[in-house]
Amino acid sequence: MLDEKILNYFKKHEEGYVSGEELSQELDISRAALWKHIENLRSEGYEIEAFPHLGYRLISIPDRLTEIELKYQLKTEIIGRKIYSYEQTASTNDIACVLAMHGEKQGSIVIAESQTAGRGRMSRKWISPKSKGAYFSVILRPDILPREVSSITLFSALSVAKTVREMTDLNAFIKWPNDVLINNQKICGILTEMNAETDKINFVIIGIGININTSKDALPKGATSILEESGKEVSRLDMARSIFRNLDKYYRLFKAGRIGEIIREYKELSNFLGTRVQVSYHDAKIEGYAVDVDKEGALILRMDSGLNERVLAGDVTMLR
Ligand code: BT5
């Protein structure tokens, strides 16, 4: 709490120095206690200059996805009101799931610098190189039916693709249902898991992994990162915060029943519509033209027979 107050005070006065006396009075602590806090912040990677007679100045913040920095000026209504940040976890989805089972409120986020057992769909692995990307899980408690849960994956992918376009010059596209691609290579994957009864969802966990400043050497074949595609490092903090804001915006639209607008935007940023695709799910495969995505997030395939097929899950390969 005090660390956060000290940092906020520095950020408010970033032009000049903050006198130790002024700051200790403001926080109602002794100069010695203030000094201890400053030392602690420095040990966490904050660069804080101290000049006799002038006071302190915040020079730089660490490249760490901490609760204090992620929440700074976040201004969301639901997403990220509480953030649990870890140096390393097995999978952020697992921690979020345990929290949700113990009644954690919706909007809470679990984020980690690295994961030792990051998961994709169908027991696949998600490679999570340390302090290069953002790996996080969001707890939601939407008032929808279990069969509508796919639409949550859609607005999550849309939130990431939007953020990449807002923050860089890169044309990020969405590949149904859960991939965000740049130049046809994957920069982000989304794993949506839920805990539900037949007609009621208890909670949904959206797990998002995005490669930001990751080098291709650290990633599997077919994957890329913002750094690799733009040639520039991007602040992971800014990118994560911006994804949280977009998630907040689209989740509120979703709750307000404005799914039509979400699907329209999703389709605008999709690269698979109008192409011939193969969708595989475990051992089953079907082929057809991807013609639409419906309001429940299903992919509509026009089969060679001329009939439409609704596909609820699977991996899409674009054929031509
Ligand atoms: C996904 O699965 O793309 C969902 C990934 C979700 C990861 C997040 S990170 C935070 C949260 N905690 C977790 O444990 N998971 C979530 P899927 O569509 O099944 O794709 C998995 C495939 O993507 C793998 O088999 C690899 O081919 C590829 N892949 C693995 N790591 C990757 C990476 N870092 N970047 C791009 N592709 C990757």
Side-chain angles (χ1 to χ4, degrees), residues 96-260:
C97 184
V98 173
L99 285 170
M101 286 204 280
H102 286 88
E104 186 71 26
K105 277 200 190 142
Q106 74 166 346
S108 294
I109 292 175
V110 177
I111 192 161
E113 293 292 335
S114 74
Q115 298 182 111
T116 51
R119 287 187 280 119
R121 295 172 303 154
M122 295 174 267
S123 333
R124 291 187 288 224
K125 283 201 170 78
W126 184 260
I127 309 293
S128 317
K130 189 174 168 58
S131 303
K132 296 294 181 190
Y135 321 111
F136 60 92
S137 303
V138 185
I139 298 169
L140 294 183
R141 296 187 184 276
D143 192 9
I144 55 171
L145 294 170
R147 66 181 158 82
E148 293 169 307
V149 78
S150 305
S151 37
I152 296 211
T153 309
L154 300 198
F155 76 68
S156 305
L158 175 59
S159 301
V160 173
K162 271 271 194 195
T163 295
V164 172
R165 283 170 177 254
E166 283 160 6
M167 289 187 61
T168 71
D169 297 333
L170 299 167
N171 285 329
F173 283 105
I174 305 165
K175 190 178 85 168
W176 185 89
N178 67 326
D179 288 353
V180 180
L181 311 176
I182 297 174
N183 296 324
N184 267 323
Q185 304 160 90
K186 183 159 167 172
I187 57 144
C188 168
I190 296 163
L191 173 68
T192 311
E193 295 179 309
M194 68 169 162
N195 178 302
E197 288 147 45
T198 15
D199 55 355
K200 180 177 165 280
I201 287 186
N202 298 322
F203 59 83
V204 174
I205 309 288
I206 318 170
I208 299 182
I210 171 164
N211 307 321
I212 302 176
N213 296 324
T214 330
S215 123
K216 265 195 178 171
D217 306 341
L219 293 171
K221 210 168 149 265
T224 192
S225 70
I226 306 285
L227 170 66
E228 289 282 356
E229 297 307 305
S230 69
K232 286 183 228 142
E233 291 224 347
V234 171
S235 154
R236 292 186 306 134
L237 270 169
D238 289 346
M239 186 148 264
R241 270 197 298 246
S242 166
I243 297 174
F244 298 169
R245 286 191 199 108
N246 274 322
L247 279 172
D248 194 68
K249 169 178 139 191
Y250 287 111
Y251 185 46
R252 284 189 288 120
L253 275 184
F254 179 76
K255 275 164 63 76
R258 290 162 63 181
I259 184 76

Side-chain angles (χ1 to χ4, degrees), residues 14 39 46 54 62 67 127 178 188 193-194 211 293 299 309:
E14 62 184 349
E39 279 303 290
Y46 288 90
L54 281 173
E67 179 181 19
I127 309 293
N178 67 326
C188 168
E193 295 179 309
M194 68 169 162
N211 307 321
V293 174
L299 175 65
E309 190 87 46

Side-chain angles (χ1 to χ4, degrees), residues 277-280 284-288 301 303 309 311:
V277 299
Q278 184 185 66
V279 187
S280 53
K285 284 187 174 50
I286 56 168
E287 215 179 290
L301 282 192
M303 310 304 287
E309 190 87 46
V311 185

